[in-house]
Amino acid sequence: MANSVRVAAAQMTSVNDLSANFSTCSRLVKEAASAGAKLLCFPENFSYLAAKEGDSLKIAEPLTGPIMKGYCSLARESGMWLSLGGFQEKGSDDAHLCNTHVLIDNAGEIRSTYRKMHLFDVDVPGGVVYKESSFTEPGKDIVTVDSPFGCLGVTVCYDLRFPELYQQLRFHHGAQVLLVPAAFTKVTGQAHWEILLRARAIETQCYVIAAAQAGKHNDKRESFGDTLIIDPWGTVVGRLPDRLSTGIVVADIDFSLIDSVRGKMPISKHRKPIEFWKSASL
């Protein structure tokens, strides 16, 4: 493996039009390829963001369907890995889908799938209520994948608020780079987006790639944006100059930096095993 490798994260404003979103993604893939990136990470709902309740279920497809096949072709034609999460994958019945993060390699093959574990059932300050569990099946599996960009820990959006998942990814599954595609709301993003991402990077000593939805999707839905790439010391090394624009940010994953940060502050050796906490007096 080379000592460093270039990656990119996309920012976009998805709408309820599959072909329009695919055109945007295709353009961003070309931009990333021109910048020398070998991996491009897209935000949650990259392929479709519903304008009204029930629309996501109507367009949900299996991973073998034409929507995902189109993105597999995009990866193959560009010779680039794509991180696609979350995708509206058809669920076990017509009333449910899975919010699935799909990793496709540069040959256009699906390398891994992670189904979002923590579902967004939240009363956001300001009056908007979300209940993702009403139409989404939660995932149960922790997922990492070995790649030319290191060991990737795969998550989606609201997972970010649950540090134990990221602890598992780093300390039990060997993650070096954490992927956090998201569609954070404007309110929660302003309050928590950057600080949560930097905390996950610092706690795990991993790179964090956080591709974000941005701006107004429709009359009811607005996303915070601010796509970021963060290094294992918690430093922001990639950020779009405009928090709401469509575009890409590029950074290099430096494996020697990961080794240096972990070697100088070996938290993996210092952390207490779960048995310690079970036996500790309260």
Side-chain angles (χ1 to χ4, degrees):
M1 188 182 290
N3 211 36
S4 70
V5 63
R6 184 154 293 180
V7 299
Q11 185 166 286
M12 61 191 294
T13 309
S14 292
V15 292
N16 61 335
D17 183 326
L18 289 161
S19 61
N21 295 329
F22 185 79
S23 294
T24 300
C25 291
S26 299
R27 176 165 57 83
L28 294 173
V29 164
K30 286 183 180 131
E31 281 187 38
S34 296
K38 304 300 181 188
L39 164 70
L40 175 57
C41 300
F42 282 103
E44 185 181 27
N45 300 326
F46 65 98
S47 62
Y48 187 84
L49 202 148
K52 59 181 189 288
E53 203 171 317
D55 282 357
S56 291
L57 286 169
K58 289 175 186 170
I59 62 94
E61 282 187 0
L63 298 179
T64 53
I67 299 173
M68 189 52 64
K69 279 187 175 174
Y71 285 92
C72 287
S73 295
L74 196 57
R76 185 171 58 252
E77 288 158 12
S78 63
M80 188 182 300
W81 283 58
L82 299 180
S83 158
L84 305 169
F87 174 72
Q88 293 92 351
E89 181 189 6
K90 195 164 178 56
S92 60
D93 58 52
D94 290 340
H96 293 88
L97 54 76
C98 295
N99 189 339
T100 303
H101 185 160
V102 183
L103 268 166
I104 302 173
D105 67 19
N106 57 345
E109 299 295 327
I110 293 175
R111 281 293 187 98
S112 75
T113 55
Y114 163 77
R115 292 171 179 90
K116 187 179 180 184
M117 206 177 271
H118 301 97
L119 302 182
F120 194 59
D121 290 2
V122 175
D123 186 349
V124 173
V128 183
V129 178
Y130 295 86
K131 195 156 181 64
E132 189 176 17
S133 68
S134 67
F135 62 92
T136 308
E137 298 172 3
K140 296 174 184 173
D141 297 326
I142 295 171
V143 175
T144 55
V145 59
D146 289 323
S147 78
F149 326 100
C151 181
L152 305 176
V154 191
T155 72
V156 177
C157 199
Y158 190 50
D159 285 332
L160 180 60
R161 293 184 182 273
F162 302 90
E164 57 272 24
L165 172 57
Y166 296 87
Q167 296 283 301
Q168 287 284 327
L169 286 166
R170 157 77 208 273
F171 298 110
H172 297 281
H173 297 265
Q176 296 168 294
V177 179
L178 303 170
L179 307 182
V180 191
F184 255 54
T185 70
K186 184 180 179 184
V187 172
T188 58
Q190 281 175 333
H192 302 144
W193 172 245
E194 181 177 337
I195 198 167
L196 283 171
L197 289 165
R198 293 180 72 187
R200 294 300 88 84
I202 294 163
E203 292 163 350
T204 62
Q205 300 171 317
C206 289
Y207 277 90
V208 171
I209 305 175
Q213 289 284 349
K216 291 202 79 168
H217 309 281
N218 52 57
D219 291 340
K220 298 176 185 174
R221 186 86 183 263
E222 185 173 2
S223 294
F224 178 67
D226 201 20
T227 288
L228 297 172
I229 301 176
I230 302 164
D231 78 12
W233 191 244
T235 304
V236 175
V237 293
R239 173 180 243 148
L240 261 74
D242 180 348
R243 179 173 64 79
L244 297 176
S245 65
T246 294
I248 62 161
V249 61
V250 174
D252 293 325
I253 301 295
D254 182 349
F255 298 106
S256 62
L257 178 63
I258 299 174
D259 293 341
S260 173
V261 169
R262 293 178 179 187
K264 290 175 181 175
M265 191 182 290
I267 58 175
S268 61
K269 294 178 184 173
H270 298 156
R271 64 193 296 275
K272 305 300 182 192
I274 191 68
E275 293 75 25
F276 172 87
W277 299 110
K278 286 178 179 175
S279 61
S281 56
L282 300 176

